[in-house]
Amino acid sequence: MTKKADIHIEIELDENHVPETIHWSAPDGGIEDEEARALFLYAWNEPAKETLKLDLWTKKMPIDSMKMFFHQVLTSMAETYERAADDEELANEIAEFAKKFG
């Protein structure tokens, strides 16, 4: 038997299609209508062998917070890459870059 889980993302845009607010919910994770100032969403399109991406941030996202967000994303990518590809050497290089970035 399979189970489905929903993640709901709602973006409010201004007249120029710039995000004003981002809210998301993931009921299985206990998240309900949580506000976010930035959102990166990536998906792998196997037939086209390419990444589909959605990078959004609101007008309220301070540059210092964006820098911290990038640092944490890069650190997380290093950890995920090591688990997914079992490539400790490259994962360490990514982690070192993240440290320099931070």
Side-chain angles (χ1 to χ4, degrees):
M1 184 169 122
T2 61
K3 180 182 176 184
K4 292 184 180 184
D6 289 321
I7 298 172
H8 178 79
I9 300 168
E10 185 175 293
I11 292 102
E12 182 181 338
L13 306 172
D14 70 8
E15 64 279 354
N16 296 314
H17 304 284
V18 175
E20 291 278 358
T21 63
I22 300 170
H23 285 87
W24 69 291
S25 299
D28 285 0
I31 298 165
E32 200 62 48
D33 197 33
E34 188 76 25
E35 184 177 356
R37 298 246 172 119
L39 170 75
F40 293 170
L41 178 65
Y42 295 90
W44 181 247
N45 181 324
E46 181 63 28
K49 301 288 190 221
E50 65 184 12
T51 300
L52 306 174
K53 67 185 190 104
L54 178 64
D55 301 329
L56 298 173
W57 55 93
T58 67
K59 297 174 186 178
K60 297 177 190 174
M61 181 68 165
I63 190 67
D64 287 347
S65 292
M66 183 60 94
K67 289 177 181 180
M68 290 173 57
F69 182 50
F70 265 84
H71 174 259
Q72 292 176 16
V73 167
L74 290 168
T75 300
S76 178
M77 288 176 70
E79 295 166 357
T80 301
Y81 182 79
E82 184 172 1
R83 284 194 319 271
D86 195 28
D87 185 344
E88 185 177 354
E89 184 178 338
L90 185 53
N92 286 338
E93 288 183 36
I94 297 167
E96 281 302 312
F97 174 76
K99 283 180 190 175
K100 290 176 186 174
F101 183 87

